[in-house]
Amino acid sequence: MPKRILYESAVHQFLAAARRRREDLAARDPAAAERLGAWVAGLAIGNPGAGELSVAWREPRPGSCRLSLKPAQFYTRGDAAAHARRQAEAGLVFAADRVMDANRAYFDAELRRVLEQAGVTGTPGTAAPAADDARARKHTEEVFHDAWADSVDVRSIDVRRMNEACTAPEMRAIAAALGDLRGRTLLDVGCGLGEAAVYFALRGAEVTATDISPGMCDATRRLAEANGVRVATHVSAAEDLGLPADRRFDIIYTGNTLHHADLPAMLDRVLPHLQPDGTFASWDPVAYNPLINVYRAIATAVRTPDEHPLRLRDVREVTRRFAHAEVRWFWLTTLLIFVLMAVVQRRSPNRERYWKKVVEEADRWAWLYRPLAGLDRGLLKVLPFLRPLCWNVVILGRRPQPAAPP
C-alpha cells in the first residue's frame, strides 16, 4: 500500500474513533462532548515515519505521542476479496465486517490511550470497557498470525518430523499419553499452521481445528489436503469458540496457545466441550528462565506484545480444573542449542523462529540434544525446584472438574 494512502487511512480511522466517542458522550453529557470536539479540532496529526502516526495537542497540557499502524489492516490483506472469501469459507459469514470491527476496536483503544496521556481522562466516557481492550488484543493476534501464515509454504512442512523429531519432546510426550487416536474426536484450539492437527488426523483422529487467524485456518486446510487427510477448521478466538453448546470431544489439544489467551476465560469456554472421561493436553512456554527472557526481549518481531508465558499460578489454574493432572517440563540444559544458534551461528531471533528451526534441523542437533535431554531428566527428577526454569511445560488433564475458587 502506498505510504500516503496508509497515512490518510490511519488519520481517517483515528478521527472516526474520536467521532464515535463524541457521539457517545453527546447523549449523556453534551458539554463533555463539546470539550472533546474542541480538543480534537486542535490536534496536529503527522506522519513521522513508515508505519506510524503522530498526534500532538496543546490542551489541557502540551504533549504528543506516536501510534503504531502495524496492528491495523486498512486496505491490505484483511480487506481484500480473497481474504474475505477465505474467512467466509472458514465459517465467518460477515468476514469484511469482522475486519472493520477489529480495526474499530484497535483505534478506539488507541484513542483512549492518547486521551489518557493528554490528561483528558476526566472526560466522561473515556474509560473504555474491558471488551474494547479484548477486541484490540484479538485483532493484533489475528493480524500477526495472518502475516505468519502468508509467509509459509505449507507444502514444505514435514508433518511427521515436526511432531516426532527428537527435538520435539513436548509433542512426543503428548502423543504417547494420548495413545491410539483411531476413531476419536479431537479439538485443536489455536491450530496455527496445522502441524499438530494434521498429525493427529494422520494418526486416525477426527479433527476440528480452530484459530483466531483466518490465514492460519486456511493454511491448516491446505496442509491437510497436501497430506491426504481432512481437518475441519473454524475461525474463532480461544476464549469464544462459537461451537454448539452440546459439541463434545474425546480430546482437546492446545499447543503454544494458553500464553496468548485470557486463561480463565479460555478454560471456562473450552473445557465444557470435553467429554467427561476426555483428555486435555497442552504445552506452552514458562516465564522464569532468565536466558529465555533475554531472548524474548530481543525476538520482538516473532512474538505478539500481549504474550504472557505461564507462571506457576497459571499451571495451577489449569491443573485444578481436572480430577487427575500431570505436569511435565522440557528444555533446561538443552537450551544450550539456542545459545549456539544465537552466539556461534549468529542467527537472528527476529528472522528465524528458533523453536521451529530446532525441530526442522533435528538431525543436525541430535548429537547434542540427546545427551542434554538425558541430563535434564536426571536433574529435574533429583532437583525438582529447577523445573520452573525450563522453557516449556506440558499439562495433561483428565476428568474435567468445575473451576475451583482462586
Side-chain angles (χ1 to χ4, degrees):
M1 169 185 238
K3 293 180 181 179
R4 184 65 186 175
I5 298 177
L6 175 64
Y7 165 67
E8 292 173 353
S9 297
V11 172
H12 168 76
Q13 292 274 15
F14 183 78
L15 294 179
R19 184 183 67 252
R20 288 192 295 273
R21 178 70 67 190
R22 185 181 178 186
E23 290 172 351
D24 178 62
L25 281 172
R28 298 178 287 109
D29 190 338
E34 286 301 315
R35 290 195 299 271
L36 178 59
W39 180 82
V40 171
L43 292 178
I45 301 177
N47 184 205
E52 287 188 319
L53 193 72
S54 66
V55 181
W57 55 87
R58 294 182 179 179
E59 301 292 342
R61 57 178 181 266
S64 65
C65 68
R66 293 188 178 187
L67 284 65
S68 171
L69 305 184
K70 292 181 180 179
Q73 290 180 322
F74 302 111
Y75 304 113
T76 60
R77 171 184 163 88
D79 295 321
H83 187 64
R85 185 183 65 253
R86 283 195 291 271
Q87 292 188 84
E89 290 171 352
L92 255 136
V93 178
F94 301 104
D97 288 346
R98 181 174 188 261
V99 171
M100 288 188 289
D101 287 346
N103 270 331
R104 174 180 294 192
Y106 174 73
F107 279 94
D108 284 348
E110 286 297 280
L111 172 68
R112 184 175 70 259
R113 182 173 67 85
V114 173
L115 290 172
E116 290 172 352
Q117 186 171 330
V120 193
T121 51
T123 302
T126 56
D132 284 352
D133 288 335
R135 283 193 294 270
R137 178 184 63 78
K138 291 174 183 177
H139 177 53
T140 300
E141 290 282 343
E142 177 186 340
V143 172
F144 176 87
H145 288 92
D146 273 352
W148 182 355
D150 268 349
S151 71
V152 176
D153 179 4
V154 297
R155 295 170 298 180
S156 67
I157 296 175
D158 185 334
V159 171
R160 292 198 180 275
R161 170 180 287 273
M162 296 302 294
N163 292 278
E164 296 178 354
C166 67
T167 49
E170 304 88 349
M171 283 305 301
R172 289 189 289 109
I174 288 172
L178 296 180
D180 188 358
L181 297 181
R182 288 175 294 183
R184 302 173 75 185
T185 56
L186 185 148
L187 175 65
D188 183 347
V189 180
C191 61
L193 295 170
E195 297 105 325
V198 173
Y199 179 66
F200 293 138
L202 286 169
R203 294 185 56 201
E206 179 186 325
V207 180
T208 298
T210 75
D211 200 281
I212 197 171
S213 160
M216 286 297 193
C217 286
D218 182 54
T220 296
R221 288 196 301 275
R222 288 185 284 113
L223 184 62
E225 292 170 2
N227 283 270
V229 295
R230 183 183 180 277
V231 171
T233 60
H234 179 72
V235 179
S236 69
E239 301 92 340
D240 185 15
L241 292 179
L243 297 173
D246 60 351
R247 185 79 183 277
R248 298 287 186 275
F249 297 87
D250 299 315
I251 299 164
I252 293 180
Y253 164 83
T254 178
N256 216 16
T257 300
L258 299 181
H259 73 288
H260 287 276
D262 179 332
L263 186 57
M266 174 182 174
L267 295 173
D268 287 344
R269 301 297 191 279
V270 167
L271 294 185
H273 294 289
L274 185 62
Q275 294 281 13
D277 59 347
T279 300
F280 174 88
S282 72
W283 69 269
D284 272 275
V286 186
Y288 301 104
N289 188 291
L291 180 65
I292 294 302
N293 285 334
V294 171
Y295 165 80
R296 289 179 180 128
I298 297 171
T300 55
V302 295
R303 305 177 61 244
T304 53
D306 66 295
E307 291 182 24
H308 46 91
L310 301 192
R311 297 185 176 273
L312 291 176
R313 64 174 178 267
D314 299 316
V315 175
R316 290 192 293 269
E317 175 68 27
V318 179
T319 57
R320 72 183 183 182
R321 302 294 187 111
F322 300 92
H324 301 285
E326 176 185 356
V327 179
R328 298 186 60 182
W329 308 84
F330 297 93
W331 294 95
L332 186 59
T333 66
T334 40
L335 289 174
L336 175 60
I337 293 175
F338 298 97
V339 175
L340 295 178
M341 292 173 75
V343 177
V344 177
Q345 296 182 341
R346 300 281 193 168
R347 299 167 70 167
S348 169
N350 281 306
R351 295 181 180 176
E352 297 183 278
R353 291 177 167 87
Y354 280 13
W355 69 94
K356 290 282 189 183
K357 288 298 182 180
V358 77
V359 179
E360 294 171 2
E361 301 171 3
D363 294 342
R364 180 187 304 181
W365 295 108
W367 66 274
L368 180 58
Y369 176 83
R370 288 195 172 103
L372 290 180
L375 177 60
D376 283 356
R377 287 191 291 271
L379 285 174
L380 297 176
K381 182 176 182 181
V382 176
L383 304 172
F385 62 86
L386 293 177
R387 292 170 183 171
L389 292 177
C390 291
W391 190 350
N392 288 328
V393 62
V394 167
I395 305 175
L396 296 163
R398 296 180 176 85
R399 291 178 56 194
Q401 303 292 302

